[in-house]
Amino acid sequence: MAAGAPHGAGGRGPQDGGGLRESLAGLTTRGRSFLAAGIAAGLCAYVLGQSELLRVGLLLAVLPLICVLALHRTRHRVSATRRLTPMRVPAGSEARVQLRLDNTSRMPTGLLMLQDRVPYVLGPRPRFVLDRVEPGGRREVSYRVRSDLRGRYPLGPLQLRLTDPFGLVELTRSFSAYDTLTVIPRTEQLPPVRLTGESSGYGDGSRRSLALAGEDDVIPRGYRRGDDLRRVHWRSTARYGELMVRREEQPQRSRATVLLDTRRIAYEGAGPDSAFEWAVSGAASVLVHLLEQGFSVRLLTDTGDCVPREGGGFTSGGQESAEAAGLMMDTLAVVGHSDGAGLSRAYDAVRSNGLGSGFGGAGGDGLLIAFFGDLDDVQTGLAAKMCRRGAGAVAFALDSADWSGRPTGPAAAAGQGPSALQERLVGLRDAGWTALAAPPGVAFGELWRQAGNAPIGTVGGSGSAGGWG
């Protein structure tokens, strides 16, 4: 047997295990009874001198052994493939798994049972019974998997149970190939808003480097058929000995950084409705939205890790941008809590790229959009320093006590109560952030719309989704 890759390519065969000895161990109760009866009949025939009884005993003993040999030889005559559609699915959505079994031998198979190994969170293990597969025949079966929890889940290896027509032997073969289903966070379709400090993904302001270039700073290129002759750069033409033209202004993509706070101490609770899962889903929604708007985007966590890593951490556009988007979503699918206690590494990563003053360095404008858990005074100060006046920065702050349903009051520890959250938001507002509180059950699209309508330094209340302080 051989197990295939997701799109039908040939794969590795099943594990052979103990060979013929393993096949003998596959005798069913009926097969063992036949073998025992045959041996007993043979002994009685020897003692009693009955040749006819000896023939019956030989038949009963040899028949299970013949079935063992027949099934043992079929392990290289059956192949299987698995197709997973799609291989990346949002949490709560279904993916379809299609299994195809091919009988490549010249003999028909007996009764077959297919069982695919799937994690518990995807549902029960699917089982299928195939009565008979003719020589060169093919059978296709399918099942669906669904998970409300993001993550990466292996599917397989496929197990095939073989039986002979008499039910004397039952062998289980395990294929070696498996596929991986990636369950990414849920995303919301965000409304198109214009955030404070934002320029469009491809804006006129990003052409300043070429517009301000002098005659000696122009970088020419070779002449192409159809180019306007008025754009010929004669000085470069004389220098290189071939016709050169001035390069057209190339708009540069505005940059945006999505910062996700993953500190374990900043969140309470677990599960699909926890504060941390809401923050991950919100970060994924923002990444998808900004990429659709033509931004060069990167994902940053409190540990200082950036995705993508190449190109300064920002997507570059084209096919590379699509691959980077898939990489960021894969990262969010498996991101977990970090053991860090602060945001210092994220602060260093933001400042090292010039995002604290201009959000794009020489490249143009940009945005910083952050999802924070519980903040103390020190972490609020670090977050405040990530933004400067006039820069585009939006913060969504979550209160773990509110999300976990834990009662809070004046006696709550500093940084945990609603009043403390308001103080943190005020500190971010004073530093130039557009700060909003994210209460439990709030739709992120509504908060995003509020962030677009708010002037810089506005702070949202924690009592309701639409409350502004």
Side-chain angles (χ1 to χ4, degrees):
M1 306 171 201
H7 299 287
R12 296 176 59 187
Q15 300 173 357
D16 292 336
L20 186 58
R21 179 178 300 179
E22 182 188 8
S23 300
L24 288 172
L27 286 170
T28 62
T29 302
R30 181 185 300 178
R32 296 176 187 272
S33 299
F34 267 61
L35 186 60
I39 295 175
L43 291 176
C44 292
Y46 176 77
V47 172
L48 300 177
Q50 297 290 332
S51 59
E52 291 81 3
L53 184 58
L54 179 60
R55 295 190 185 95
V56 175
L58 289 176
L59 176 62
L60 293 177
V62 170
L63 183 59
L65 298 179
I66 293 177
C67 294
V68 168
L69 291 175
L71 289 184
H72 178 74
R73 295 190 59 185
T74 61
R75 70 186 190 278
H76 296 299
R77 303 296 181 87
V78 180
S79 63
T81 58
R82 180 191 300 105
R83 185 187 298 270
L84 177 60
T85 308
M87 301 187 68
R88 184 186 291 117
V89 63
S93 300
E94 290 185 343
R96 184 170 180 265
V97 183
Q98 184 175 3
L99 302 175
R100 189 182 73 185
L101 187 71
D102 294 281
N103 182 12
T104 58
S105 67
R106 297 181 180 179
M107 297 292 294
T109 67
L111 188 66
L112 302 177
M113 189 180 81
L114 299 179
Q115 176 178 280
D116 210 9
R117 293 184 179 179
V118 298
Y120 175 77
V121 295
L122 298 183
R125 290 186 176 182
R127 294 181 174 90
F128 306 94
V129 177
L130 304 180
D131 186 16
R132 178 180 179 273
V133 182
E134 65 277 5
R138 174 185 300 174
R139 296 291 186 272
E140 293 185 358
V141 293
S142 64
Y143 64 94
R144 295 183 179 276
V145 292
R146 177 181 179 273
S147 174
D148 292 328
L149 300 176
R150 57 185 177 82
R152 302 190 68 187
Y153 303 102
L155 299 179
L158 179 67
Q159 289 183 330
L160 178 64
R161 185 174 296 175
L162 306 173
T163 60
D164 65 285
F166 305 103
L168 303 179
V169 185
E170 185 178 270
L171 299 181
T172 300
R173 301 296 183 186
S174 180
F175 296 89
S176 59
Y178 67 93
D179 300 309
T180 301
L181 173 66
T182 302
V183 180
I184 62 177
R186 293 185 179 93
T187 59
E188 294 186 34
Q189 186 70 28
L190 301 182
V193 298
R194 189 171 183 84
L195 301 177
T196 304
E198 174 187 354
S199 63
S200 59
Y202 293 94
D204 295 334
S206 60
R207 303 184 182 182
R208 292 175 297 184
S209 60
L210 288 176
L212 298 178
E215 183 69 16
D216 294 334
D217 299 327
V218 175
I219 302 177
R221 62 168 175 82
Y223 176 82
R224 299 172 185 171
R225 186 175 181 181
D227 286 338
D228 191 348
L229 293 178
R230 290 175 297 181
R231 294 176 47 237
V232 173
H233 192 254
W234 298 108
R235 181 178 301 178
S236 298
T237 298
R239 178 182 302 174
Y240 295 105
E242 60 177 321
L243 203 58
M244 307 292 290
V245 296
R246 294 182 177 87
R247 186 176 59 177
E248 293 179 348
E249 293 181 355
Q250 301 293 331
Q252 297 179 357
R253 294 159 59 95
S254 297
R255 292 181 173 182
T257 293
V258 178
L259 172 60
L260 176 62
D261 181 9
T262 65
R263 295 172 299 134
R264 188 182 306 275
I265 62 175
Y267 299 94
E268 295 181 9
D273 298 327
S274 63
F276 181 68
E277 293 300 324
W278 187 95
V280 174
S281 178
S285 300
V286 172
L287 286 171
V288 172
H289 177 75
L290 294 180
L291 286 170
E292 291 176 349
Q293 298 300 317
F295 279 81
S296 180
V297 185
R298 71 169 178 172
L299 173 65
L300 177 65
T301 65
D302 59 288
T303 61
D305 295 331
C306 294
V307 181
R309 297 182 181 274
E310 292 78 13
F314 292 90
T315 57
S316 57
Q319 182 65 26
E320 293 79 6
S321 181
E323 295 176 356
L327 182 59
M328 287 187 287
M329 297 305 291
D330 290 345
T331 301
L332 289 177
V334 298
V335 67
H337 290 294
S338 69
D339 296 328
L343 302 172
S344 57
R345 294 183 179 179
Y347 170 79
D348 294 338
V350 169
R351 302 289 294 195
S352 63
N353 284 273
L355 295 182
S357 56
F359 286 86
D365 299 332
L367 295 171
L368 174 61
I369 301 174
F371 294 83
F372 293 122
D374 293 332
L375 299 174
D376 56 21
D377 293 337
V378 176
Q379 307 314 317
T380 301
L382 280 176
K385 294 179 182 179
M386 296 182 190
C387 174
R388 292 184 180 178
R389 292 291 182 178
V394 180
F396 300 97
L398 295 87
D399 179 24
S400 294
D402 196 12
W403 276 83
S404 62
R406 179 166 52 85
T408 57
Q416 300 296 325
S419 59
L421 175 62
Q422 291 294 333
E423 294 177 0
R424 307 296 182 247
L425 295 176
V426 170
L428 295 176
R429 177 199 60 185
D430 292 341
W433 286 83
T434 298
L436 296 87
V442 64
F444 180 66
E446 178 61 25
L447 289 182
W448 182 258
R449 184 180 292 107
Q450 293 181 23
N453 296 332
I456 195 168
T458 302
V459 56
S462 62
S464 63
W468 290 93

